[in-house]
Amino acid sequence: MYTSGKYSSRGPALIPRMKTKHRIYYITLFSVVLLGLIATGMFQFWPHSIESTADWTLDKRSVHDAPLIRLPVSSPIPERGDLSCRMHTCFDVYRCGYNPKNRIKVYIYPLQRFVDELGVPISSTGLSREYNDLLSAISDSDFYTDDVTRACLFIPSIDVLNQNSLRIRETAQALAMLPRWDKGMNHLLFNMLPGGPPDYNTALDVPRDRALLAGGGFSTWTYRQGYDVSIPVYSPLSADVELPEKQPGPRRYFILSSQTAIHREYRAELERLKEENGEALLLLDKCSNLSQGAASARKRCYKGQVYDYPQILQESSFCVVLRGARLGQAALSDVLQAGCVPVILADSYILPFSEVLDWKRASVVIPEEKLSEMYTILKSIPHRQVEEMQRQARWFWEAYFSSMKAIGLTTLQIINDRIYPYAARSYEQWNNPPVVKWSSVNSPLFLPLIPPRAPGFTAVVLTYDRVESLFRVITEISKVPSLAKLLVVWNNQNKSPPEESLWPKIGVPLKVVRTKENKLSNRFFPYDEIETEAVLAIDDDIIMLTSDELQFGYEYFNYLYTYKMPGDIKNWVDAHMNCEDIAMNFLVANITGKAPIKVTPRKKFKCPECTAIDGLSLDQTHMVERSECINKFASVFGTMPLKVVEHRADPVLYKDDFPEKLKSFPNIGSL
């Protein structure tokens, strides 16, 4: 660009030159006006709300220095809370947007002190140490943003962890005044002690519109699955008491109960169990001969003998966690820290982080009505499984319970996984403790070295009338660590199943389904009671399998067998009452491209009830038909997927001279 001759570096040539003093005056005036306009413009476009504050931290802004907000009596109150809310109805995922790190951004409102028109605070405690730790941890994490326009999730700096300290109406009004509230959309509240006397609701009573709730005492009635997050009740002892990790194994006591102020009916039942089992069970209570205070909270007593709490928890294999006035109990955190396997008796309780954590690996859940059977149920669990559960319990505490930081970041990660499911953490990442990675180990079966994502498996047992054998199968299967539920398919329309009191007592739900017709294919029907991905289909006469053998994983092909089996194979099986196992093997082999593998030989087959004259395999045509069905299935599939393999998977270090703890499945092949 060129410069016209009419202009000089001092401005247009047509403007007369001023005297120096006048020029200085006007330049100064112009500068002041210009700076004023700039300042006015900046203020005009700068956020006027509390959102303009940068980083959230108590170090930069104390509670006492926070601005005071007075709530008019007429301030709006949010709706009670929509129980129908789900992520696709009450959460705006478009706020989160796409980002290369697949991570939500969380904005924390700056501190404010809310009071009513008379100047009374909405909370009797203000900001608790626990909530301060929680918000500080989030503000230091990769989730945090101080740019409100980039935020996907909003967290109020209003402490609602403990409902006992809140004024319900005024707290709700304070929430509604938040600049981005928008009926609670994309807002997250943390609460650990919900409800109050006499009802003790299992969710926060503060009206909160559509806000998500990370709650510490949800029941199946108040928990909005896939929307809310069930969190632990933090135990202050986590920060005050250091319990060194104790090696898994047998301990001084088998069962220990340490909770105080439990219901008198539960206390009476525990005392009865104590009388029956003696020193195997230690029943502790509050110490009556100690003065009240912090010191007494860390003591427990039994007949005048004083024990240190929570240290005494490390002396037991199993520790009872009963419901109190609230479903969620801080005792659960103490038990996990001690590496004691929690025995949870709290019907309808949603366990912390159960959306991602497989609690069967670290705890035993028993219906409250079966408290009297607790000792028998726990005695049926193999020692090796108890040790694994002790190890898992301690790791759960370290990873997810040990601090407010762990609780807060776990909550955000769960929400993050919902929004970016394609980048979500896997079942193994959530549940497998860090271990030494054996880079030189390859699976000889060309299968994963770890089970597929599934919260355990459901065992489906097909039976007709062999009750004794059925009960033995149930007892053996119940020892498998990954068993989630046992479903008995009663295929006899002319005979009723045994009474409930006669069935074996096991630590997982047992359901009996009565069929309308006697069909072999009933074993592969996708029953509504099946809630797991993995299913073990087994007959009532397979009593020679050990729990180690059953620990091998099974994939879920029931739906495919029932609805997607090619040709007329399923009808052929039902008509001939034969070959349903071969049909399933054909199906799985055809889909996966992997041949079925026989993993363990048997020298003898034991079944005391299998001599009945109506046994299917006793028919002379039974084996002939099995040969025919192989030819038929191969013609339908158009190939022979079954292959001969020579890999030996049994027994794994069974008879070799190795230490017992190095044997992964020592009972494979044993009779």
Side-chain angles (χ1 to χ4, degrees), residues 114-142:
F114 290 94
V115 297
D116 63 17
E117 288 190 336
L118 299 177
V120 180
I122 65 173
S123 171
S124 61
T125 58
L127 193 72
S128 65
R129 184 187 71 175
E130 289 79 12
Y131 200 56
N132 173 31
D133 291 345
L134 175 72
L135 296 183
S136 297
I138 295 174
S139 68
D140 291 336
S141 73
D142 291 336

Side-chain angles (χ1 to χ4, degrees), residues 299-312:
K299 300 291 182 181
R300 296 290 188 273
C301 290
Y302 175 70
K303 291 186 176 180
Q305 187 171 354
V306 181
Y307 298 86
D308 292 328
Y309 181 88
Q311 290 84 347
I312 185 60

Side-chain angles (χ1 to χ4, degrees), residues 572-590:
W572 193 97
V573 169
D574 292 337
H576 291 77
M577 294 294 283
N578 203 344
C579 296
E580 83 284 0
D581 52 341
I582 298 177
M584 177 61 84
N585 276 282
F586 262 78
L587 178 67
V588 175
N590 185 70

Side-chain angles (χ1 to χ4, degrees), residues 348-379:
S348 80
Y349 177 42
I350 303 296
L351 286 166
F353 304 134
S354 55
E355 182 174 337
V356 294
L357 300 188
D358 187 350
W359 278 97
K360 291 182 298 300
R361 298 174 61 165
S363 69
V364 179
V365 179
I366 298 177
E368 294 175 23
E369 64 178 13
K370 292 191 175 183
L371 175 58
S372 61
E373 304 169 19
M374 176 177 64
Y375 187 85
T376 303
I377 292 173
L378 298 181
K379 268 298 183 182

Side-chain angles (χ1 to χ4, degrees), residues 44-316:
Q44 188 71 24
F45 293 102
W46 197 266
H48 284 81
S49 68
I50 59 173
E51 300 167 9
S52 60
T53 303
D55 294 342
W56 188 98
T57 169
L58 281 187
D59 296 335
K60 295 183 179 179
R61 193 176 195 184
S62 70
V63 177
H64 301 291
D65 296 333
L68 188 69
I69 305 297
R70 198 174 296 273
L71 300 169
V73 175
S74 59
S75 295
I77 300 176
E79 295 294 329
R80 179 68 183 86
D82 189 349
L83 286 176
S84 66
C85 271
R86 297 298 182 267
M87 292 298 287
H88 64 280
T89 60
C90 295
F91 192 93
D92 184 4
V93 295
Y94 296 105
R95 286 183 186 261
C96 307
Y98 167 78
N99 65 78
K101 293 185 178 180
N102 298 309
R103 185 179 295 119
I104 61 174
K105 287 300 179 182
V106 180
Y107 177 82
I108 301 175
Y109 286 97
L111 282 171
Q112 291 180 307
R113 291 183 296 153
F114 290 94
V115 297
D116 63 17
E117 288 190 336
L118 299 177
V120 180
I122 65 173
S123 171
S124 61
T125 58
L127 193 72
S128 65
R129 184 187 71 175
E130 289 79 12
Y131 200 56
N132 173 31
D133 291 345
L134 175 72
L135 296 183
S136 297
I138 295 174
S139 68
D140 291 336
S141 73
D142 291 336
F143 291 109
Y144 178 72
T145 181
D146 61 359
D147 184 352
V148 71
T149 63
R150 296 180 57 206
C152 164
L153 194 64
F154 303 88
I155 299 180
S157 53
I158 301 171
D159 185 353
V160 295
L161 282 179
N162 184 353
Q163 184 175 314
N164 291 343
S165 64
L166 302 177
R167 299 172 66 190
I168 302 299
R169 175 187 174 87
E170 289 74 13
T171 301
Q173 290 176 320
L175 291 174
M177 287 189 68
L178 296 174
R180 299 269 173 161
W181 181 248
D182 188 22
K183 292 191 176 298
M185 186 80 75
N186 290 46
H187 281 66
L188 173 64
L189 306 178
F190 285 88
N191 168 256
M192 290 183 175
L193 298 179
D199 298 330
Y200 287 101
N201 188 18
T202 57
L204 180 67
D205 284 324
V206 175
R208 54 188 182 277
D209 282 330
R210 298 177 177 180
L212 290 86
L213 183 61
F218 281 121
S219 71
T220 53
W221 296 98
T222 55
Y223 178 63
R224 295 172 293 185
Q225 188 171 9
Y227 192 67
D228 293 323
V229 180
S230 181
I231 63 174
V233 178
Y234 177 70
S235 173
L237 296 179
S238 297
D240 299 338
V241 179
E242 183 177 351
L243 291 181
E245 185 173 0
K246 188 170 184 177
Q247 290 299 314
R251 299 182 178 177
R252 180 179 177 184
Y253 303 103
F254 184 62
I255 303 175
L256 185 148
S257 173
S258 61
Q259 289 173 267
T260 62
I262 60 177
H263 196 279
R264 60 179 179 272
E265 291 184 6
Y266 296 144
R267 175 70 63 180
E269 192 60 57
L270 289 171
E271 289 175 350
R272 188 188 66 78
L273 286 172
K274 169 69 176 173
E275 292 177 1
E276 293 178 356
N277 302 288
E279 297 299 319
L281 192 150
L282 179 61
L283 181 56
L284 302 178
D285 202 351
K286 184 178 180 180
C287 297
S288 58
N289 56 347
L290 297 178
S291 58
Q292 298 297 319
S296 65
R298 292 182 50 183
K299 300 291 182 181
R300 296 290 188 273
C301 290
Y302 175 70
K303 291 186 176 180
Q305 187 171 354
V306 181
Y307 298 86
D308 292 328
Y309 181 88
Q311 290 84 347
I312 185 60
L313 298 175
Q314 289 193 307
E315 301 301 318
S316 182

Side-chain angles (χ1 to χ4, degrees), residues 573-637:
V573 169
D574 292 337
H576 291 77
M577 294 294 283
N578 203 344
C579 296
E580 83 284 0
D581 52 341
I582 298 177
M584 177 61 84
N585 276 282
F586 262 78
L587 178 67
V588 175
N590 185 70
I591 292 173
T592 64
K594 299 184 178 82
I597 299 173
K598 184 182 182 185
V599 297
T600 173
R602 285 294 173 192
K603 295 182 178 178
K604 48 188 174 180
F605 182 88
K606 300 178 180 179
C607 178
E609 295 183 77
C610 294
T611 57
I613 58 174
D614 58 347
L616 293 177
S617 60
L618 297 180
D619 192 312
Q620 294 182 355
T621 63
H622 183 77
M623 296 309 296
V624 175
E625 285 184 344
R626 291 179 70 80
S627 298
E628 292 178 358
C629 72
I630 290 179
N631 295 330
K632 176 177 177 57
F633 298 167
S635 65
V636 173
F637 278 96

